[in-house]
Amino acid sequence: NKMVRERKKKTDYGALNSPFMRIPRMDVRAARVLLDIGVREIYELRGRDPESLLADARKKRPTIPDDILKFLKIAVDFADAQE
């Protein structure tokens, strides 16, 4: 049990340093999901459907939790507001 507690989570610097982290309330796991499906910039999310983004991501990694959808919606809304 002690070993489990001491194991540190790996920090995802790629996601942390991505443009998506400029979005208020954005989750680093959701930023990773976007990077994994090839989205690199916020403007690429304009007009996109958050549910289809999640579906695309689950083709690569089926274990993505449902709560990520909330953050994908935040990201798309933010991108749409930037126009």
Side-chain angles (χ1 to χ4, degrees):
N1 209 6
K2 187 178 178 195
M3 258 175 78
V4 173
R5 247 183 287 123
E6 287 177 3
R7 192 179 328 137
K8 273 195 151 177
K9 270 179 124 176
K10 274 174 80 175
T11 304
D12 187 344
Y13 290 106
L16 277 172
N17 293 320
S18 73
F20 307 116
M21 294 314 294
R22 292 198 309 259
I23 300 171
R25 300 185 316 280
M26 187 60 166
D27 186 278
V28 70
R29 297 169 305 142
R32 170 48 56 201
V33 165
L34 291 169
L35 292 169
D36 287 350
I37 59 173
V39 180
R40 297 281 175 258
E41 297 292 335
I42 293 170
Y43 73 85
E44 296 177 67
L45 294 170
R46 286 187 197 143
R48 297 291 299 268
D49 174 34
E51 289 174 9
S52 71
L53 292 169
L54 183 59
D56 289 348
R58 283 187 170 153
K59 288 176 193 163
K60 293 177 184 251
R61 193 162 34 105
T63 59
I64 295 171
D66 291 339
D67 74 317
I68 292 295
L69 181 61
K70 169 178 64 179
F71 297 105
L72 296 179
K73 286 179 180 173
I74 288 170
V76 169
D77 290 345
F78 183 87
D80 287 341
Q82 300 300 300
E83 292 185 67

